Amino acid sequence: MLTGKIAVVTGAGRGIGREIALTLAAHGAAVVVNYNGSKTAAQAVAEEIIQKGGAAEAIQCDVSDFAACEAFAKTVLETYKRVDILVNNAGITRDNLIMRMSEADYDQVLDTNLKGAFHMIRHFSRSFLKQRSGKIINISSVSGVAGNPGQSNYSASKAGLIGLTKSVARELASRNVQVNAVAPGFIDTDMTRDLTEAARAELSRQIPMGKTGTAKQVADAVLFLAGEGSDYITGQVLCVDGGMCM
Ligand code: NDP
């Protein structure tokens, strides 16, 4: 159980982040539901948690903005005094072949997916160090583990997240803060909904289990890494991918 724990989940108004927020709350954590543009959706997630007897609050912050993340962390720490679980889930895609990839699309994906996690860890790290306990979980991707054509920006950001995870895991290990990554495979959310049937079929052929995953299956892996069952696990990448990356 996560009773008494304070969790921050970035990009928690929709998709995988929403499911992570609901799952952590269902196991007793008070959840800060971060969003960027999806205010109504994020507020609905917080309300759903509260209606079920939990505690939650939706707070806007663009994770790609260093100063905004600093202000966000300050607000959260002033209100809750501590953060026990930080889930860096916010992410975007701007897919294109490398020949056609614009600098803006490259930068935007790196700024959101990789620097966004850096910003949050950077601004919450003092608090984690002081309390001498905590869990940081970064949502990477199989694209970051194995690469994917048309996703050089996204793959680089997700591979970077794995390096960030391992370095911060080493920095914080002696203070009893565990830092791990979850690498989802092909999960049904808004991010993957636009794929053609042909692209879906081709992707499914690459999955040993032969089917796509659900946001709930990713959230359950996050739940494990957020709880005491993972107290001796740090710097790891847990693939939730139906066997794609084995
Ligand atoms: P969605 O597109 O459904 O949701 C993306 C989320 O990220 C939204 O909640 C969005 O918030 C948030 N977000 C985007 N930019 C920002 C920003 N600048 N600041 C704060 N929040 C932001 O994606 P998924 O739920 O599918 O993906 C969640 C994570 O899982 C991502 O990191 C993604 O890369 C990763 N992933 C997904 C896979 C999949 O198959 N779906 C596979 C592997 C990894 P808002 O709407 O408020 O802007």
Side-chain angles (χ1 to χ4, degrees), residues 7-14 16-18 20-21 31-36 59 61-63 69 72 85-91 112-113 116-117 119-121 124 137-139:
V8 171
V9 184
T10 67
R14 302 187 281 126
I16 293 171
R18 173 181 184 276
I20 293 170
V31 182
V32 176
V33 179
N34 161 255
Y35 66 95
N36 186 28
I59 304 182
C61 175
D62 175 352
V63 299
C69 291
F72 171 82
I85 302 157
L86 168 62
V87 185
N88 289 306
N89 163 80
T112 304
N113 299 6
H119 295 154
M120 286 295 172
I121 296 170
F124 282 109
I137 300 144
N138 297 319
I139 307 300

PDB file of all heavy atoms in Angstrom, residues 7-14 16-18 20-21 31-36 59 61-63 69 72 85-91 112-113 116-117 119-121 124 137-139:
ATOM      1  N   ALA A   7       2.463  11.447  -4.395  1.00  0.00           N
ATOM      2  CA  ALA A   7       2.964  11.137  -5.743  1.00  0.00           C
ATOM      3  C   ALA A   7       2.727  12.307  -6.691  1.00  0.00           C
ATOM      4  O   ALA A   7       1.694  12.974  -6.618  1.00  0.00           O
ATOM      5  CB  ALA A   7       2.271   9.887  -6.275  1.00  0.00           C
ATOM      6  N   VAL A   8       3.697  12.538  -7.570  1.00  0.00           N
ATOM      7  CA  VAL A   8       3.537  13.507  -8.660  1.00  0.00           C
ATOM      8  C   VAL A   8       3.623  12.720  -9.963  1.00  0.00           C
ATOM      9  O   VAL A   8       4.580  11.971 -10.170  1.00  0.00           O
ATOM     10  CB  VAL A   8       4.660  14.577  -8.629  1.00  0.00           C
ATOM     11  CG1 VAL A   8       4.613  15.436  -9.895  1.00  0.00           C
ATOM     12  CG2 VAL A   8       4.558  15.440  -7.385  1.00  0.00           C
ATOM     13  N   VAL A   9       2.611  12.868 -10.811  1.00  0.00           N
ATOM     14  CA  VAL A   9       2.625  12.195 -12.114  1.00  0.00           C
ATOM     15  C   VAL A   9       2.511  13.268 -13.192  1.00  0.00           C
ATOM     16  O   VAL A   9       1.514  14.012 -13.231  1.00  0.00           O
ATOM     17  CB  VAL A   9       1.464  11.182 -12.251  1.00  0.00           C
ATOM     18  CG1 VAL A   9       1.578  10.433 -13.588  1.00  0.00           C
ATOM     19  CG2 VAL A   9       1.442  10.196 -11.084  1.00  0.00           C
ATOM     20  N   THR A  10       3.513  13.366 -14.058  1.00  0.00           N
ATOM     21  CA  THR A  10       3.430  14.383 -15.122  1.00  0.00           C
ATOM     22  C   THR A  10       2.611  13.841 -16.294  1.00  0.00           C
ATOM     23  O   THR A  10       2.608  12.642 -16.567  1.00  0.00           O
ATOM     24  CB  THR A  10       4.828  14.834 -15.594  1.00  0.00           C
ATOM     25  OG1 THR A  10       5.487  13.740 -16.266  1.00  0.00           O
ATOM     26  CG2 THR A  10       5.684  15.310 -14.438  1.00  0.00           C
ATOM     27  N   GLY A  11       1.910  14.754 -16.958  1.00  0.00           N
ATOM     28  CA  GLY A  11       1.066  14.366 -18.093  1.00  0.00           C
ATOM     29  C   GLY A  11       0.008  13.359 -17.694  1.00  0.00           C
ATOM     30  O   GLY A  11      -0.203  12.360 -18.374  1.00  0.00           O
ATOM     31  N   ALA A  12      -0.693  13.661 -16.595  1.00  0.00           N
ATOM     32  CA  ALA A  12      -1.597  12.657 -16.012  1.00  0.00           C
ATOM     33  C   ALA A  12      -3.065  12.887 -16.356  1.00  0.00           C
ATOM     34  O   ALA A  12      -3.940  12.217 -15.821  1.00  0.00           O
ATOM     35  CB  ALA A  12      -1.413  12.602 -14.498  1.00  0.00           C
ATOM     36  N   GLY A  13      -3.348  13.812 -17.265  1.00  0.00           N
ATOM     37  CA  GLY A  13      -4.741  14.054 -17.648  1.00  0.00           C
ATOM     38  C   GLY A  13      -5.272  13.019 -18.626  1.00  0.00           C
ATOM     39  O   GLY A  13      -6.481  12.829 -18.741  1.00  0.00           O
ATOM     40  N   ARG A  14      -4.342  12.377 -19.362  1.00  0.00           N
ATOM     41  CA  ARG A  14      -4.771  11.451 -20.428  1.00  0.00           C
ATOM     42  C   ARG A  14      -3.876  10.225 -20.441  1.00  0.00           C
ATOM     43  O   ARG A  14      -2.801  10.213 -19.836  1.00  0.00           O
ATOM     44  CB  ARG A  14      -4.601  12.123 -21.795  1.00  0.00           C
ATOM     45  CG  ARG A  14      -5.331  13.399 -21.988  1.00  0.00           C
ATOM     46  CD  ARG A  14      -5.225  13.856 -23.426  1.00  0.00           C
ATOM     47  NE  ARG A  14      -3.963  14.496 -23.755  1.00  0.00           N
ATOM     48  CZ  ARG A  14      -3.166  14.121 -24.752  1.00  0.00           C
ATOM     49  NH1 ARG A  14      -3.489  13.091 -25.511  1.00  0.00           N
ATOM     50  NH2 ARG A  14      -2.052  14.771 -25.006  1.00  0.00           N
ATOM     51  N   ILE A  16      -1.579   7.009 -20.557  1.00  0.00           N
ATOM     52  CA  ILE A  16      -0.852   6.202 -19.567  1.00  0.00           C
ATOM     53  C   ILE A  16      -0.736   6.959 -18.239  1.00  0.00           C
ATOM     54  O   ILE A  16      -0.899   6.379 -17.159  1.00  0.00           O
ATOM     55  CB  ILE A  16       0.539   5.814 -20.124  1.00  0.00           C
ATOM     56  CG1 ILE A  16       0.373   4.849 -21.317  1.00  0.00           C
ATOM     57  CG2 ILE A  16       1.410   5.188 -19.044  1.00  0.00           C
ATOM     58  CD1 ILE A  16       1.661   4.568 -22.090  1.00  0.00           C
ATOM     59  N   GLY A  17      -0.470   8.256 -18.315  1.00  0.00           N
ATOM     60  CA  GLY A  17      -0.323   9.066 -17.092  1.00  0.00           C
ATOM     61  C   GLY A  17      -1.583   9.045 -16.252  1.00  0.00           C
ATOM     62  O   GLY A  17      -1.532   8.951 -15.015  1.00  0.00           O
ATOM     63  N   ARG A  18      -2.725   9.150 -16.926  1.00  0.00           N
ATOM     64  CA  ARG A  18      -4.021   9.100 -16.224  1.00  0.00           C
ATOM     65  C   ARG A  18      -4.161   7.779 -15.467  1.00  0.00           C
ATOM     66  O   ARG A  18      -4.537   7.762 -14.290  1.00  0.00           O
ATOM     67  CB  ARG A  18      -5.146   9.259 -17.259  1.00  0.00           C
ATOM     68  CG  ARG A  18      -6.522   9.059 -16.705  1.00  0.00           C
ATOM     69  CD  ARG A  18      -7.576   9.224 -17.813  1.00  0.00           C
ATOM     70  NE  ARG A  18      -8.905   9.112 -17.254  1.00  0.00           N
ATOM     71  CZ  ARG A  18      -9.530   7.956 -17.032  1.00  0.00           C
ATOM     72  NH1 ARG A  18      -8.941   6.832 -17.349  1.00  0.00           N
ATOM     73  NH2 ARG A  18     -10.734   7.940 -16.494  1.00  0.00           N
ATOM     74  N   ILE A  20      -1.797   5.776 -14.506  1.00  0.00           N
ATOM     75  CA  ILE A  20      -0.819   5.719 -13.402  1.00  0.00           C
ATOM     76  C   ILE A  20      -1.368   6.482 -12.193  1.00  0.00           C
ATOM     77  O   ILE A  20      -1.323   5.990 -11.056  1.00  0.00           O
ATOM     78  CB  ILE A  20       0.545   6.305 -13.848  1.00  0.00           C
ATOM     79  CG1 ILE A  20       1.194   5.417 -14.919  1.00  0.00           C
ATOM     80  CG2 ILE A  20       1.483   6.475 -12.644  1.00  0.00           C
ATOM     81  CD1 ILE A  20       2.426   6.044 -15.600  1.00  0.00           C
ATOM     82  N   ALA A  21      -1.905   7.680 -12.436  1.00  0.00           N
ATOM     83  CA  ALA A  21      -2.451   8.485 -11.333  1.00  0.00           C
ATOM     84  C   ALA A  21      -3.576   7.727 -10.624  1.00  0.00           C
ATOM     85  O   ALA A  21      -3.602   7.648  -9.383  1.00  0.00           O
ATOM     86  CB  ALA A  21      -2.960   9.823 -11.881  1.00  0.00           C
ATOM     87  N   VAL A  31      -2.242  12.158  -4.986  1.00  0.00           N
ATOM     88  CA  VAL A  31      -1.612  12.345  -6.297  1.00  0.00           C
ATOM     89  C   VAL A  31      -1.741  13.777  -6.810  1.00  0.00           C
ATOM     90  O   VAL A  31      -2.854  14.325  -6.869  1.00  0.00           O
ATOM     91  CB  VAL A  31      -2.225  11.371  -7.341  1.00  0.00           C
ATOM     92  CG1 VAL A  31      -1.531  11.534  -8.690  1.00  0.00           C
ATOM     93  CG2 VAL A  31      -2.099   9.922  -6.867  1.00  0.00           C
ATOM     94  N   VAL A  32      -0.615  14.354  -7.197  1.00  0.00           N
ATOM     95  CA  VAL A  32      -0.611  15.618  -7.937  1.00  0.00           C
ATOM     96  C   VAL A  32      -0.690  15.254  -9.413  1.00  0.00           C
ATOM     97  O   VAL A  32       0.210  14.619  -9.957  1.00  0.00           O
ATOM     98  CB  VAL A  32       0.649  16.454  -7.643  1.00  0.00           C
ATOM     99  CG1 VAL A  32       0.665  17.708  -8.517  1.00  0.00           C
ATOM    100  CG2 VAL A  32       0.715  16.810  -6.161  1.00  0.00           C
ATOM    101  N   VAL A  33      -1.818  15.619 -10.021  1.00  0.00           N
ATOM    102  CA  VAL A  33      -2.108  15.282 -11.419  1.00  0.00           C
ATOM    103  C   VAL A  33      -1.608  16.442 -12.282  1.00  0.00           C
ATOM    104  O   VAL A  33      -2.287  17.447 -12.450  1.00  0.00           O
ATOM    105  CB  VAL A  33      -3.629  15.065 -11.609  1.00  0.00           C
ATOM    106  CG1 VAL A  33      -3.966  14.747 -13.058  1.00  0.00           C
ATOM    107  CG2 VAL A  33      -4.146  13.966 -10.674  1.00  0.00           C
ATOM    108  N   ASN A  34      -0.394  16.306 -12.799  1.00  0.00           N
ATOM    109  CA  ASN A  34       0.140  17.394 -13.636  1.00  0.00           C
ATOM    110  C   ASN A  34      -0.445  17.306 -15.053  1.00  0.00           C
ATOM    111  O   ASN A  34      -0.697  16.227 -15.564  1.00  0.00           O
ATOM    112  CB  ASN A  34       1.667  17.310 -13.706  1.00  0.00           C
ATOM    113  CG  ASN A  34       2.222  18.096 -14.890  1.00  0.00           C
ATOM    114  OD1 ASN A  34       2.630  17.510 -15.894  1.00  0.00           O
ATOM    115  ND2 ASN A  34       2.189  19.401 -14.812  1.00  0.00           N
ATOM    116  N   TYR A  35      -0.652  18.483 -15.652  1.00  0.00           N
ATOM    117  CA  TYR A  35      -1.077  18.544 -17.056  1.00  0.00           C
ATOM    118  C   TYR A  35      -0.432  19.754 -17.694  1.00  0.00           C
ATOM    119  O   TYR A  35       0.068  20.649 -16.999  1.00  0.00           O
ATOM    120  CB  TYR A  35      -2.606  18.624 -17.168  1.00  0.00           C
ATOM    121  CG  TYR A  35      -3.186  19.908 -16.601  1.00  0.00           C
ATOM    122  CD1 TYR A  35      -3.443  21.000 -17.426  1.00  0.00           C
ATOM    123  CD2 TYR A  35      -3.440  20.037 -15.232  1.00  0.00           C
ATOM    124  CE1 TYR A  35      -3.955  22.188 -16.906  1.00  0.00           C
ATOM    125  CE2 TYR A  35      -3.948  21.214 -14.718  1.00  0.00           C
ATOM    126  CZ  TYR A  35      -4.203  22.296 -15.561  1.00  0.00           C
ATOM    127  OH  TYR A  35      -4.687  23.464 -15.038  1.00  0.00           O
ATOM    128  N   ASN A  36      -0.459  19.783 -19.027  1.00  0.00           N
ATOM    129  CA  ASN A  36      -0.020  20.984 -19.729  1.00  0.00           C
ATOM    130  C   ASN A  36      -1.227  21.668 -20.359  1.00  0.00           C
ATOM    131  O   ASN A  36      -1.623  22.736 -19.910  1.00  0.00           O
ATOM    132  CB  ASN A  36       1.038  20.642 -20.779  1.00  0.00           C
ATOM    133  CG  ASN A  36       1.616  21.896 -21.407  1.00  0.00           C
ATOM    134  OD1 ASN A  36       1.651  22.950 -20.769  1.00  0.00           O
ATOM    135  ND2 ASN A  36       2.048  21.803 -22.645  1.00  0.00           N
ATOM    136  N   ILE A  59      -2.556  20.201 -11.261  1.00  0.00           N
ATOM    137  CA  ILE A  59      -1.730  21.411 -11.328  1.00  0.00           C
ATOM    138  C   ILE A  59      -1.085  21.512 -12.706  1.00  0.00           C
ATOM    139  O   ILE A  59      -0.441  20.562 -13.165  1.00  0.00           O
ATOM    140  CB  ILE A  59      -0.634  21.434 -10.231  1.00  0.00           C
ATOM    141  CG1 ILE A  59      -1.240  21.286  -8.829  1.00  0.00           C
ATOM    142  CG2 ILE A  59       0.192  22.708 -10.330  1.00  0.00           C
ATOM    143  CD1 ILE A  59      -0.227  21.357  -7.689  1.00  0.00           C
ATOM    144  N   CYS A  61       1.586  22.586 -15.504  1.00  0.00           N
ATOM    145  CA  CYS A  61       3.003  22.935 -15.655  1.00  0.00           C
ATOM    146  C   CYS A  61       3.497  22.340 -16.974  1.00  0.00           C
ATOM    147  O   CYS A  61       3.268  21.165 -17.246  1.00  0.00           O
ATOM    148  CB  CYS A  61       3.835  22.374 -14.495  1.00  0.00           C
ATOM    149  SG  CYS A  61       5.613  22.631 -14.695  1.00  0.00           S
ATOM    150  N   ASP A  62       4.155  23.157 -17.765  1.00  0.00           N
ATOM    151  CA  ASP A  62       4.792  22.670 -18.991  1.00  0.00           C
ATOM    152  C   ASP A  62       6.162  22.113 -18.605  1.00  0.00           C
ATOM    153  O   ASP A  62       7.057  22.867 -18.222  1.00  0.00           O
ATOM    154  CB  ASP A  62       4.928  23.843 -19.973  1.00  0.00           C
ATOM    155  CG  ASP A  62       5.680  23.468 -21.239  1.00  0.00           C
ATOM    156  OD1 ASP A  62       6.242  22.358 -21.322  1.00  0.00           O
ATOM    157  OD2 ASP A  62       5.716  24.319 -22.153  1.00  0.00           O
ATOM    158  N   VAL A  63       6.320  20.797 -18.695  1.00  0.00           N
ATOM    159  CA  VAL A  63       7.558  20.178 -18.199  1.00  0.00           C
ATOM    160  C   VAL A  63       8.797  20.611 -18.985  1.00  0.00           C
ATOM    161  O   VAL A  63       9.920  20.463 -18.496  1.00  0.00           O
ATOM    162  CB  VAL A  63       7.487  18.629 -18.180  1.00  0.00           C
ATOM    163  CG1 VAL A  63       6.381  18.133 -17.262  1.00  0.00           C
ATOM    164  CG2 VAL A  63       7.355  18.044 -19.577  1.00  0.00           C
ATOM    165  N   CYS A  69       8.885  24.474 -14.029  1.00  0.00           N
ATOM    166  CA  CYS A  69       9.016  23.262 -13.196  1.00  0.00           C
ATOM    167  C   CYS A  69       9.530  23.626 -11.798  1.00  0.00           C
ATOM    168  O   CYS A  69       9.131  22.999 -10.811  1.00  0.00           O
ATOM    169  CB  CYS A  69       9.960  22.249 -13.855  1.00  0.00           C
ATOM    170  SG  CYS A  69       9.274  21.521 -15.350  1.00  0.00           S
ATOM    171  N   PHE A  72       6.548  24.920 -10.028  1.00  0.00           N
ATOM    172  CA  PHE A  72       5.650  23.775  -9.765  1.00  0.00           C
ATOM    173  C   PHE A  72       6.142  22.994  -8.547  1.00  0.00           C
ATOM    174  O   PHE A  72       5.371  22.688  -7.619  1.00  0.00           O
ATOM    175  CB  PHE A  72       5.620  22.888 -11.018  1.00  0.00           C
ATOM    176  CG  PHE A  72       4.925  21.566 -10.854  1.00  0.00           C
ATOM    177  CD1 PHE A  72       3.536  21.475 -10.935  1.00  0.00           C
ATOM    178  CD2 PHE A  72       5.647  20.395 -10.648  1.00  0.00           C
ATOM    179  CE1 PHE A  72       2.887  20.243 -10.803  1.00  0.00           C
ATOM    180  CE2 PHE A  72       5.013  19.170 -10.525  1.00  0.00           C
ATOM    181  CZ  PHE A  72       3.631  19.086 -10.594  1.00  0.00           C
ATOM    182  N   ILE A  85       6.988   9.867  -4.521  1.00  0.00           N
ATOM    183  CA  ILE A  85       6.987   9.179  -5.820  1.00  0.00           C
ATOM    184  C   ILE A  85       6.894  10.232  -6.920  1.00  0.00           C
ATOM    185  O   ILE A  85       5.954  11.040  -6.937  1.00  0.00           O
ATOM    186  CB  ILE A  85       5.768   8.225  -5.922  1.00  0.00           C
ATOM    187  CG1 ILE A  85       5.787   7.185  -4.790  1.00  0.00           C
ATOM    188  CG2 ILE A  85       5.711   7.557  -7.300  1.00  0.00           C
ATOM    189  CD1 ILE A  85       4.415   6.590  -4.488  1.00  0.00           C
ATOM    190  N   LEU A  86       7.875  10.243  -7.815  1.00  0.00           N
ATOM    191  CA  LEU A  86       7.833  11.158  -8.966  1.00  0.00           C
ATOM    192  C   LEU A  86       7.812  10.305 -10.230  1.00  0.00           C
ATOM    193  O   LEU A  86       8.746   9.539 -10.476  1.00  0.00           O
ATOM    194  CB  LEU A  86       9.067  12.073  -8.960  1.00  0.00           C
ATOM    195  CG  LEU A  86       9.311  12.884 -10.246  1.00  0.00           C
ATOM    196  CD1 LEU A  86       8.161  13.853 -10.530  1.00  0.00           C
ATOM    197  CD2 LEU A  86      10.637  13.662 -10.143  1.00  0.00           C
ATOM    198  N   VAL A  87       6.746  10.432 -11.009  1.00  0.00           N
ATOM    199  CA  VAL A  87       6.646   9.679 -12.268  1.00  0.00           C
ATOM    200  C   VAL A  87       6.735  10.659 -13.433  1.00  0.00           C
ATOM    201  O   VAL A  87       5.838  11.488 -13.639  1.00  0.00           O
ATOM    202  CB  VAL A  87       5.327   8.874 -12.355  1.00  0.00           C
ATOM    203  CG1 VAL A  87       5.332   8.009 -13.628  1.00  0.00           C
ATOM    204  CG2 VAL A  87       5.121   8.001 -11.129  1.00  0.00           C
ATOM    205  N   ASN A  88       7.843  10.588 -14.175  1.00  0.00           N
ATOM    206  CA  ASN A  88       8.019  11.448 -15.347  1.00  0.00           C
ATOM    207  C   ASN A  88       7.441  10.732 -16.558  1.00  0.00           C
ATOM    208  O   ASN A  88       8.113   9.938 -17.207  1.00  0.00           O
ATOM    209  CB  ASN A  88       9.507  11.768 -15.532  1.00  0.00           C
ATOM    210  CG  ASN A  88      10.012  12.699 -14.464  1.00  0.00           C
ATOM    211  OD1 ASN A  88       9.456  13.776 -14.257  1.00  0.00           O
ATOM    212  ND2 ASN A  88      11.035  12.278 -13.744  1.00  0.00           N
ATOM    213  N   ASN A  89       6.173  11.038 -16.813  1.00  0.00           N
ATOM    214  CA  ASN A  89       5.422  10.343 -17.874  1.00  0.00           C
ATOM    215  C   ASN A  89       5.180  11.227 -19.099  1.00  0.00           C
ATOM    216  O   ASN A  89       5.016  10.697 -20.199  1.00  0.00           O
ATOM    217  CB  ASN A  89       4.079   9.871 -17.287  1.00  0.00           C
ATOM    218  CG  ASN A  89       3.081   9.531 -18.361  1.00  0.00           C
ATOM    219  OD1 ASN A  89       3.134   8.437 -18.938  1.00  0.00           O
ATOM    220  ND2 ASN A  89       2.181  10.453 -18.684  1.00  0.00           N
ATOM    221  N   ALA A  90       5.160  12.552 -18.922  1.00  0.00           N
ATOM    222  CA  ALA A  90       4.800  13.449 -20.033  1.00  0.00           C
ATOM    223  C   ALA A  90       5.683  13.184 -21.241  1.00  0.00           C
ATOM    224  O   ALA A  90       6.903  13.067 -21.117  1.00  0.00           O
ATOM    225  CB  ALA A  90       4.949  14.900 -19.591  1.00  0.00           C
ATOM    226  N   GLY A  91       5.063  13.077 -22.408  1.00  0.00           N
ATOM    227  CA  GLY A  91       5.856  12.824 -23.607  1.00  0.00           C
ATOM    228  C   GLY A  91       5.077  13.121 -24.869  1.00  0.00           C
ATOM    229  O   GLY A  91       3.840  13.107 -24.877  1.00  0.00           O
ATOM    230  N   THR A 112      10.729  18.153 -24.248  1.00  0.00           N
ATOM    231  CA  THR A 112       9.602  17.637 -23.451  1.00  0.00           C
ATOM    232  C   THR A 112       9.969  16.301 -22.796  1.00  0.00           C
ATOM    233  O   THR A 112       9.870  16.141 -21.583  1.00  0.00           O
ATOM    234  CB  THR A 112       8.362  17.438 -24.357  1.00  0.00           C
ATOM    235  OG1 THR A 112       8.068  18.677 -24.998  1.00  0.00           O
ATOM    236  CG2 THR A 112       7.163  16.979 -23.540  1.00  0.00           C
ATOM    237  N   ASN A 113      10.419  15.353 -23.600  1.00  0.00           N
ATOM    238  CA  ASN A 113      10.577  13.979 -23.104  1.00  0.00           C
ATOM    239  C   ASN A 113      11.812  13.813 -22.219  1.00  0.00           C
ATOM    240  O   ASN A 113      11.749  13.116 -21.203  1.00  0.00           O
ATOM    241  CB  ASN A 113      10.693  13.006 -24.284  1.00  0.00           C
ATOM    242  CG  ASN A 113       9.466  13.009 -25.185  1.00  0.00           C
ATOM    243  OD1 ASN A 113       8.562  13.818 -25.000  1.00  0.00           O
ATOM    244  ND2 ASN A 113       9.445  12.139 -26.162  1.00  0.00           N
ATOM    245  N   GLY A 116      12.316  17.499 -19.837  1.00  0.00           N
ATOM    246  CA  GLY A 116      11.185  17.568 -18.902  1.00  0.00           C
ATOM    247  C   GLY A 116      11.456  16.734 -17.656  1.00  0.00           C
ATOM    248  O   GLY A 116      11.231  17.182 -16.524  1.00  0.00           O
ATOM    249  N   ALA A 117      11.966  15.527 -17.867  1.00  0.00           N
ATOM    250  CA  ALA A 117      12.288  14.654 -16.724  1.00  0.00           C
ATOM    251  C   ALA A 117      13.447  15.240 -15.928  1.00  0.00           C
ATOM    252  O   ALA A 117      13.429  15.237 -14.690  1.00  0.00           O
ATOM    253  CB  ALA A 117      12.632  13.256 -17.228  1.00  0.00           C
ATOM    254  N   HIS A 119      14.205  18.400 -15.643  1.00  0.00           N
ATOM    255  CA  HIS A 119      13.706  19.556 -14.879  1.00  0.00           C
ATOM    256  C   HIS A 119      13.034  19.114 -13.578  1.00  0.00           C
ATOM    257  O   HIS A 119      13.284  19.668 -12.512  1.00  0.00           O
ATOM    258  CB  HIS A 119      12.676  20.342 -15.713  1.00  0.00           C
ATOM    259  CG  HIS A 119      13.242  20.977 -16.931  1.00  0.00           C
ATOM    260  ND1 HIS A 119      12.493  21.259 -18.050  1.00  0.00           N
ATOM    261  CD2 HIS A 119      14.505  21.394 -17.224  1.00  0.00           C
ATOM    262  CE1 HIS A 119      13.259  21.814 -18.962  1.00  0.00           C
ATOM    263  NE2 HIS A 119      14.485  21.900 -18.498  1.00  0.00           N
ATOM    264  N   MET A 120      12.168  18.110 -13.689  1.00  0.00           N
ATOM    265  CA  MET A 120      11.425  17.666 -12.501  1.00  0.00           C
ATOM    266  C   MET A 120      12.370  17.033 -11.462  1.00  0.00           C
ATOM    267  O   MET A 120      12.298  17.337 -10.270  1.00  0.00           O
ATOM    268  CB  MET A 120      10.342  16.656 -12.903  1.00  0.00           C
ATOM    269  CG  MET A 120       9.152  17.284 -13.591  1.00  0.00           C
ATOM    270  SD  MET A 120       8.269  18.397 -12.467  1.00  0.00           S
ATOM    271  CE  MET A 120       7.105  19.132 -13.607  1.00  0.00           C
ATOM    272  N   ILE A 121      13.256  16.160 -11.937  1.00  0.00           N
ATOM    273  CA  ILE A 121      14.190  15.512 -10.994  1.00  0.00           C
ATOM    274  C   ILE A 121      15.072  16.568 -10.344  1.00  0.00           C
ATOM    275  O   ILE A 121      15.298  16.565  -9.129  1.00  0.00           O
ATOM    276  CB  ILE A 121      15.047  14.453 -11.723  1.00  0.00           C
ATOM    277  CG1 ILE A 121      14.174  13.323 -12.256  1.00  0.00           C
ATOM    278  CG2 ILE A 121      16.115  13.884 -10.772  1.00  0.00           C
ATOM    279  CD1 ILE A 121      14.897  12.350 -13.188  1.00  0.00           C
ATOM    280  N   PHE A 124      13.078  18.488  -7.670  1.00  0.00           N
ATOM    281  CA  PHE A 124      12.626  17.721  -6.509  1.00  0.00           C
ATOM    282  C   PHE A 124      13.787  17.000  -5.804  1.00  0.00           C
ATOM    283  O   PHE A 124      13.591  16.406  -4.746  1.00  0.00           O
ATOM    284  CB  PHE A 124      11.566  16.683  -6.915  1.00  0.00           C
ATOM    285  CG  PHE A 124      10.184  17.268  -7.122  1.00  0.00           C
ATOM    286  CD1 PHE A 124       9.624  17.373  -8.383  1.00  0.00           C
ATOM    287  CD2 PHE A 124       9.448  17.734  -6.038  1.00  0.00           C
ATOM    288  CE1 PHE A 124       8.354  17.921  -8.571  1.00  0.00           C
ATOM    289  CE2 PHE A 124       8.171  18.281  -6.206  1.00  0.00           C
ATOM    290  CZ  PHE A 124       7.632  18.372  -7.485  1.00  0.00           C
ATOM    291  N   ILE A 137      10.420   7.370 -11.204  1.00  0.00           N
ATOM    292  CA  ILE A 137      10.141   6.431 -12.305  1.00  0.00           C
ATOM    293  C   ILE A 137       9.997   7.229 -13.592  1.00  0.00           C
ATOM    294  O   ILE A 137       9.141   8.123 -13.692  1.00  0.00           O
ATOM    295  CB  ILE A 137       8.854   5.617 -12.003  1.00  0.00           C
ATOM    296  CG1 ILE A 137       9.044   4.821 -10.700  1.00  0.00           C
ATOM    297  CG2 ILE A 137       8.553   4.658 -13.166  1.00  0.00           C
ATOM    298  CD1 ILE A 137       7.824   4.711  -9.854  1.00  0.00           C
ATOM    299  N   ASN A 138      10.854   6.936 -14.555  1.00  0.00           N
ATOM    300  CA  ASN A 138      10.832   7.639 -15.831  1.00  0.00           C
ATOM    301  C   ASN A 138      10.212   6.735 -16.896  1.00  0.00           C
ATOM    302  O   ASN A 138      10.615   5.572 -17.037  1.00  0.00           O
ATOM    303  CB  ASN A 138      12.261   8.016 -16.241  1.00  0.00           C
ATOM    304  CG  ASN A 138      12.883   8.977 -15.242  1.00  0.00           C
ATOM    305  OD1 ASN A 138      12.230   9.901 -14.765  1.00  0.00           O
ATOM    306  ND2 ASN A 138      14.145   8.758 -14.909  1.00  0.00           N
ATOM    307  N   ILE A 139       9.252   7.268 -17.637  1.00  0.00           N
ATOM    308  CA  ILE A 139       8.607   6.465 -18.678  1.00  0.00           C
ATOM    309  C   ILE A 139       9.400   6.627 -19.978  1.00  0.00           C
ATOM    310  O   ILE A 139       9.337   7.658 -20.647  1.00  0.00           O
ATOM    311  CB  ILE A 139       7.127   6.849 -18.880  1.00  0.00           C
ATOM    312  CG1 ILE A 139       6.367   6.802 -17.536  1.00  0.00           C
ATOM    313  CG2 ILE A 139       6.491   5.896 -19.905  1.00  0.00           C
ATOM    314  CD1 ILE A 139       6.348   5.457 -16.827  1.00  0.00           C
TER     315      ILE A 139
END
